Amino acid sequence: IWSILISSLSTSTIITMTSHHWLLAWLGLELNTLSILPITMKLHHPRATEATMKYFLVQALAAAMILFAGTLNAWQTGLWTITNPGPTTAAIVTMAVLMKLGAAPTHLWYPDVLQGTTLNTALLVSTWQKLAPLALLYMMTNPPTNLLLLTGLLSALLGGWAGLNQTQTRKIMAHSSIAHMGWMLIALTMNPQLTTLTLMTYMIMTTAMFSTLNASATKTISDMGTAWSMSPTTMTLALLTLTSLGGLPPLTGFMPKLLILNELTMKPLLPLATTLALASLPSLFFYIRMAYTTTLTTPPNTTNTEHKWRFKPPLAPTPTPMMTLALLLMPMTPILYTTT
């Protein structure tokens, strides 16, 4: 059953990415949503059920907005093609895609959904589920540039600020995804090829981080402090992945951010570039906090003895003169009692 669901998920994403008709794109998005729902609820836990319901309602609302925008475009222009929508249609579709991506200001459902699912499902939602909605933005030749720039900057700011107070690794990765979506939306307004590079880099780094978390079964930051004893090599690679997600040079994550800031400074958008660069600092803070807990703290080591201290027999107390006298008088106690 799971192989059928995964193949259906892949097929529906490819349908949306290769379509030029609004109805066909909407059909692919609906199939994509229906395919991911059983994977999300497979835990049969109340928290997983809640996450599935939140995901379903948000995705259904976004799909309804896309269907409404396609119908409006067909009524205004007489065409069902995605490539040349009207300004109203483009704005509605962009807001629906932002809702599907979990970008700000429609991002509040995203951390809760990732927290209620398993790490593998959270990886699927954070990577593969971004492809189909972004394909719609790619295919529109005249997307609303100001709206994308504003929501991109807002996503980068809120993704960093909201992640500062988190202790759950899945929620931290969710806010990391929100911040990275902001960088991608800003890159999409200037250079689609740069957006593809940013998306591929993000997917590779996120897959590596979720694989490390899944291998060591770390759900919180405190769990990460004890994972070093299990596999120091894996935790060292996790340190490199976290610093790469933060965008520190000379790691891979620094490259797309540098290119995006270069594109912004080449255009008259220097205040936006400065604010976006400063917005990456809160995200870098919680990445460094995770890296510090993972590799730079001393974990509790196992003992070299055969048994731990709590299994050792207690030491015999040193006899005192009063204890010796009491032991000597114990056999005489019945005799003394009968004589009295």
Side-chain angles (χ1 to χ4, degrees):
I1 293 178
W2 298 115
S3 60
I4 294 174
L5 289 174
I6 294 296
S7 61
S8 174
L9 193 67
S10 306
T11 306
S12 59
T13 303
I14 294 172
I15 288 174
T16 304
M17 293 174 68
T18 56
S19 62
H20 294 279
H21 196 283
W22 279 114
L23 283 180
L24 196 59
W26 171 81
L27 177 65
L29 291 173
E30 285 294 298
L31 289 175
N32 189 283
T33 302
L34 293 176
S35 301
I36 195 68
L37 291 180
I39 302 175
T40 311
M41 69 171 70
K42 71 176 182 178
L43 284 180
H44 299 292
H45 189 274
R47 192 172 295 170
T49 307
E50 179 187 355
T52 307
M53 285 302 299
K54 287 180 179 179
Y55 188 80
F56 169 72
L57 292 174
V58 170
Q59 299 295 315
L61 177 60
M65 290 176 63
I66 291 174
L67 183 62
F68 170 71
T71 309
L72 181 65
N73 186 67
W75 176 55
Q76 290 178 343
T77 63
L79 300 173
W80 285 93
T81 55
I82 301 176
T83 52
N84 293 309
T88 307
T89 304
I92 296 175
V93 170
T94 303
M95 289 305 299
V97 168
L98 293 177
M99 189 179 298
K100 278 186 167 293
L101 291 174
T106 56
H107 67 286
L108 294 177
W109 63 272
Y110 192 65
D112 292 335
V113 168
L114 259 63
Q115 181 62 29
T117 60
T118 62
L119 285 168
N120 288 330
T121 309
L123 169 63
L124 201 61
V125 173
S126 299
T127 54
W128 185 263
Q129 294 298 97
K130 309 289 186 185
L131 297 179
L134 278 174
L136 292 180
L137 291 180
Y138 271 97
M139 286 185 284
M140 288 194 300
T141 56
N142 53 346
T145 304
N146 293 331
L147 179 60
L148 288 176
L149 290 175
L150 178 62
T151 53
L153 180 60
L154 194 61
S155 298
L157 287 169
L158 290 179
W161 285 343
L164 289 175
N165 200 30
Q166 303 298 329
T167 58
Q168 302 286 330
T169 54
R170 281 169 291 184
K171 283 195 173 183
I172 290 176
M173 294 304 295
H175 290 96
S176 165
S177 176
I178 293 169
H180 279 88
M181 284 301 111
W183 286 85
M184 288 182 209
L185 293 175
I186 290 177
L188 190 62
T189 61
M190 301 176 295
N191 193 341
Q193 289 79 17
L194 181 55
T195 310
T196 306
L197 175 65
T198 310
L199 176 63
M200 295 304 296
T201 308
Y202 159 76
M203 290 180 66
I204 292 171
M205 293 186 299
T206 305
T207 304
M209 195 62 226
F210 269 110
S211 301
T212 305
L213 296 175
N214 192 30
S216 56
T218 51
K219 304 293 180 62
T220 61
I221 292 183
S222 58
D223 293 339
M224 299 184 74
T226 60
W228 177 267
S229 301
M230 184 189 71
S231 178
T233 306
T234 306
M235 291 301 107
T236 305
L237 294 176
L239 167 67
L240 294 175
T241 306
L242 285 168
T243 49
S244 181
L245 277 169
L248 287 181
L251 300 171
T252 311
F254 176 68
M255 174 183 57
K257 292 187 177 182
L258 177 65
L259 294 175
I260 292 172
L261 292 177
N262 180 48
E263 289 283 341
L264 288 173
T265 51
M266 296 296 289
K267 295 177 171 56
L269 294 171
L270 190 58
L272 177 62
T274 306
T275 311
L276 191 62
L278 293 176
S280 64
L281 294 178
S283 299
L284 181 61
F285 175 79
F286 61 73
Y287 290 135
I288 295 299
R289 185 178 62 174
M290 290 177 68
Y292 172 77
T293 310
T294 305
T295 58
L296 301 178
T297 54
T298 305
N301 295 317
T302 56
T303 60
N304 296 322
T305 57
E306 185 178 356
H307 300 290
K308 292 185 178 180
W309 63 269
R310 62 178 178 271
F311 294 126
K312 292 181 180 180
L315 297 175
T318 304
T320 62
M322 292 300 296
M323 292 174 62
T324 306
L325 181 61
L327 290 174
L328 292 174
L329 292 177
M330 280 179 64
M332 300 176 60
T333 305
I335 301 173
L336 294 173
Y337 180 74
T338 54
T339 56
T340 56

